[in-house]
Structure formats: C-alpha cells, structure tokens
C-alpha cells in the first residue's frame, strides 16, 4: 500500500495504490493492482522483476524460447521513448508469434535493436478486451522450466537485460543474465493519441491483474 501525494514526481492528484501478491496452488504468482486518484492523472503500474528460468548463476537468457501474442510493437527513439508509431512485427527481429530463441536475432542489424541495445520495447498484445488472457510464454529447454504470462493489459514490455552490469546478489549478474516481461499500457500514451490511453480520475480507478504461471516440461 502506498499513497502518492498530489504533485509527487510532477503527477497531479493524490494516488492511493494497493498491490496484492498471491502464490496459488497451480504454481502461479498473481499480482493485483488497484489505484484511486482524486484528480485526473496518468497511471501505468507494472512489475520489473528479472527472471532467469535456468536458475541461479546459469548464465544468459539467450537460450530461452519466447512467444508473444502480438502483431506489432511501438518503436522507440534513441532514448527509448515510443515515437507514436505502431509497427508490424512481420519480417523483423520482433516477430515472436512463433516461438523463437531470444538470442537468434537479438544482435541483428536493426535500428530498433541498436536503440535498445537489444530488446527493450513494448509489444501491442492481441485480443485486448480488458479480460485476463494468455499473452506470452518463456521456455528454457535446458531446465524444462516454463513461464506463462496472463494479463488484462494491452501491452507488454520485453526487456532482455541489456543494461545489467555487475549486479550483486548470491551471484553477480551481467548483460542478458535476466529478462523482464512487464504488462502495461503503451508507454508515452498521453503524448500519442493513437495509443490506448491510461488517464484515470476519481470516477475511474486503475484496476489490473497479471499472472505469472510456472510449470516444467
């Protein structure tokens, strides 16, 4: 639970946030987001957990197999801010509609990959109706571990750990030793009217649910 006062970080309105984490009997981590504001304001809550299905100290995530139910991304500029375009993934390194290893095309000669130093982009998810549905999965062939992501959000940010450098812990983590899959509204939506908007007010609270479901094959 957190209360963000009016004006904090430049955002209008007092925002009262509650995030609930639950581990379920079907090996899933469920995250419930709830936020209320007393003035119109932008809300885009997500989760920046870094995963590696190979386990502690197992190396990079380049051998993980990724699937994303998305036919487009929102391209970014040189400082990783979405430009307002919605670009089809077909014929690009961003096409994960058929599962593919992360490392296969991550260093391709592509302007967007150069901007992000790898993958650090928002995918435009399919079948968006505001209802929780399966949108992405990761599979590690070496361990057999699998993670599925379900959400009611319209977008997902895939970050391939491009800026990790000597991150401490039980093991020191470096570039591409972890990944994030962050469910969200499209970043920079307020400045791009063609994006799905995430402006909330006192009569319209932010409510969202995301599930990370784990299994082994």
């Amino acid at each position: 639970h957190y209360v963000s006062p009016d004006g904090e970080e430049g955002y209008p309105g007092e925002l009262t946030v509650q995030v609930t984490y639950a581990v379920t009997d079907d090996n899933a981590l469920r995250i419930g987001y709830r936020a209320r504001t007393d003035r119109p304001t932008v809300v885009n809550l997500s989760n920046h957990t870094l995963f590696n299905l190979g386990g502690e100290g197992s190396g990079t995530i380049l051998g993980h197999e990724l699937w994303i139910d998305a036919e487009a991304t929102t391209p970014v500029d040189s400082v990783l801010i979405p430009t307002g375009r919605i670009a089809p993934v077909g014929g690009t390194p961003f096409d994960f509609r058929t599962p593919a290893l992360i490392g296969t095309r991550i260093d391709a000669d592509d302007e967007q990959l150069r901007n992000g130093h790898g993958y650090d982009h928002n995918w435009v998810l399919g079948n968006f109706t505001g209802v929780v549905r399966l949108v992405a999965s990761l599979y590690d062939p070496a361990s057999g571990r699998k993670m599925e992501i379900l959400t009611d959000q319209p977008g997902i940010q895939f970050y391939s750990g491009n800026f990790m450098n000597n991150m401490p812990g039980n093991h020191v983590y470096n570039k591409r030793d972890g990944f994030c899959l962050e469910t969200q509204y499209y970043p920079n939506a307020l400045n791009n009217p063609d994006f799905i908007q995430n402006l909330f007010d006192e009569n319209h609270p932010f409510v969202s649910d995301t599930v990370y479901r784990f299994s082994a094959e």
Side-chain angles (χ1 to χ4, degrees), residues 139-200:
Y139 174 65
D140 175 33
S143 66
R145 298 187 185 105
K146 184 176 183 179
M147 182 175 78
E148 297 174 304
I149 299 90
L150 301 90
T151 189
D152 51 20
Q153 292 286 276
I156 193 167
Q157 187 87 9
F158 170 49
Y159 171 57
S160 53
N162 313 310
F163 299 103
M164 298 172 68
N165 183 29
N166 291 319
M167 293 178 64
N170 294 331
H171 173 86
V172 175
Y173 288 91
N174 288 300
K175 185 176 182 180
R176 296 174 180 164
D177 281 352
F179 68 86
C180 297
L181 283 166
E182 305 166 342
T183 59
Q184 61 184 6
Y185 282 88
Y186 311 159
N188 202 27
L190 190 64
N191 296 312
N192 294 290
D194 290 339
F195 287 2
I196 298 171
Q197 295 299 300
N198 56 315
L199 190 65
F200 296 86

Side-chain angles (χ1 to χ4, degrees), residues 29 51 66-69 125 132-138 146-152 155-156 179-183 209-214:
L29 173 64
F51 295 95
L66 174 64
W67 168 75
I68 303 178
D69 180 21
L125 294 172
V132 173
R133 78 282 189 206
L134 179 66
V135 299
S137 68
L138 258 296
K146 184 176 183 179
M147 182 175 78
E148 297 174 304
I149 299 90
L150 301 90
T151 189
D152 51 20
I156 193 167
F179 68 86
C180 297
L181 283 166
E182 305 166 342
T183 59
D209 293 286
T210 288
V211 180
Y212 295 94
R213 187 167 61 198
F214 298 88

